[in-house]
Amino acid sequence: MREDRVTAALAAAQMYYMQDMTMEAIAAELAVSRSSVSRLLSLARESGIVDIRISSPLSGGTELEMRIRERFRVTAQVVPIPESVSEVDRLERVAMTAARLLASYVDSNMLIGVAWGSTIGAVSRHLTPKELHNVTVVQLNGAGNMQTTGIEYASEILQRFGQAYGARVQQFPVPAFFDDPGTREAMWRERSTRRVLEMQARMDLAVFGVGSPTADVPSRVYAGGYLDRGDFRSLAEDGAVGDVATVFFRGDGTWRDIRLNARTTGPALDRLRRVPRRLAIAAGEHKAPALRGAIVSGLVTDVVVDETLARGLLADR
């Protein structure tokens, strides 16, 4: 990014946000067009020069946020989106809000766990840069399957987090699921694998989407060739409603005896529950059973959802 353009973005931001000048006045001041001012202000937001925060005048947030907190004991950020918006756009808008919120959660000397997936991929594209030091981003679960190693896909997501926060990135180059539980047990004894698992055990923040087999925007684990017919049948027989980092759970929060979990490379849910802050991000009403199950499992301390999903989450089932 050119230094003169950053300087111009800083000047435009100061005039617009601090001096209440109009775009026309700023354009005249800087001897540029109004559209150039608009682009400079966008650059100021995207590069972290400007950090926009919205504070609710209501003491506890919106009604939906308060109801979610009272019922589930989690902190919610509800994104107002009309029902007419497509599911793809809905996900993008929730992801953008979550990315902005993350900037207030992340700080220096933190270890951040990130689970790959469609939702977190969208979040990673909207992250706001923040100057930090001694931050590490660690991958929560393997990404390989019969068709691909998954390294390129997961790496792209993690690298975006690393670039936004000036963080070191630790990948987890194992498959999403082993064919044999015994293979996982043997792999977990390897020193290189134990090093990653030990990092996961020290996380300050975990960031993840909530997978659902019924979502309108398919979760990558269900649509990306990770599961075969036998796996889907096994999950249905075991009553699984969703997953976090490829670890499956039921609507009542139980998960240990779901057979596929014996082969997954995602963190055991009791380990994940020990992370101080656990941010779940989800969009679309069809995610309600999966998100409710994740919350009941004790996996979530904070959640970003769209308004339709928030209402579905609160609906009696």
Side-chain angles (χ1 to χ4, degrees):
M1 195 181 300
R2 291 173 50 186
E3 186 175 345
D4 57 348
R5 186 158 175 77
V6 173
T7 301
L10 176 59
Q14 289 174 330
M15 287 186 274
Y16 187 76
Y17 292 105
M18 305 301 291
Q19 301 172 33
D20 289 332
M21 292 176 62
T22 65
M23 287 193 183
E24 289 79 4
I26 297 170
E29 184 88 10
L30 298 179
V32 297
S33 66
R34 188 182 185 283
S35 59
S36 293
V37 173
S38 178
R39 287 192 292 271
L40 287 172
L41 293 174
S42 295
L43 174 61
R45 292 190 296 270
E46 292 165 3
S47 63
I49 293 173
V50 172
D51 181 13
I52 298 175
R53 301 173 187 269
I54 299 175
S55 299
S56 170
L58 306 175
S59 59
T62 68
E63 179 188 357
L64 284 174
E65 290 168 349
M66 289 188 289
R67 288 173 60 194
I68 290 172
R69 183 172 65 246
E70 290 168 0
R71 179 166 174 179
F72 297 109
R73 298 295 185 266
V74 300
T75 300
Q77 175 77 46
V78 176
V79 184
I81 302 174
E83 292 187 12
S84 58
V85 171
S86 73
E87 292 303 313
V88 173
D89 288 342
R90 184 179 301 274
L91 173 59
E92 283 297 312
R93 290 168 66 169
V94 168
M96 185 179 296
T97 299
R100 301 295 188 267
L101 183 64
L102 260 174
S104 65
Y105 289 173
V106 177
D107 207 345
S108 295
N109 304 310
M110 289 187 71
L111 204 161
I112 306 166
V114 174
W116 54 264
S118 303
T119 299
I120 303 305
V123 171
S124 72
R125 293 192 292 270
H126 298 291
L127 292 171
T128 301
K130 187 175 182 180
E131 288 191 19
L132 302 170
H133 65 272
N134 193 33
V135 175
T136 300
V137 174
V138 61
Q139 183 177 336
L140 283 182
N141 52 320
N145 61 23
M146 290 287 290
Q147 302 171 8
T148 175
T149 64
I151 292 175
E152 183 177 353
Y153 171 72
S155 175
E156 185 176 17
I157 294 173
L158 267 69
Q159 290 299 332
R160 289 177 185 146
F161 275 84
Q163 291 167 6
Y165 304 134
R168 297 182 296 274
V169 171
Q170 174 60 62
Q171 293 181 300
F172 197 19
V174 294
F177 302 97
F178 287 109
D179 291 335
D180 187 330
T183 306
R184 187 184 75 164
E185 293 174 8
M187 190 71 179
W188 265 215
R189 291 194 294 270
E190 293 293 321
R191 285 180 294 177
S192 59
T193 305
R194 289 208 311 268
R195 185 174 66 85
V196 179
L197 297 176
E198 288 166 2
M199 292 176 68
Q200 293 177 355
R202 295 185 283 106
M203 291 183 294
D204 301 290
L205 167 66
V207 184
F208 50 84
V210 179
S212 168
T214 61
D216 289 343
V217 179
S219 300
R220 191 174 180 88
V221 68
Y222 299 98
Y226 290 91
L227 305 173
D228 60 26
R229 291 182 179 179
D231 295 329
F232 279 108
R233 183 169 57 251
S234 174
L235 288 173
E237 290 171 354
D238 289 343
V241 299
D243 77 282
V244 164
T246 60
V247 179
F248 299 90
F249 48 81
R250 301 183 181 90
D252 63 1
T254 58
W255 61 278
R256 291 183 183 279
D257 58 341
I258 294 177
R259 285 167 287 176
L260 195 54
N261 286 341
R263 298 193 284 114
T264 184
T265 54
L269 300 189
D270 52 0
R271 168 172 287 191
L272 193 57
R273 282 195 291 260
R274 292 196 291 269
V275 180
R277 172 166 265 161
R278 306 177 297 278
L279 174 62
I281 303 151
E285 188 176 12
H286 286 90
K287 287 281 184 87
L291 180 57
R292 190 183 295 109
I295 292 174
V296 171
S297 299
L299 300 179
V300 180
T301 61
D302 301 78
V303 63
V304 181
V305 294
D306 64 279
E307 189 172 350
T308 302
L309 175 53
R311 296 188 186 283
L313 184 64
L314 290 164
D316 292 327
R317 289 289 188 267

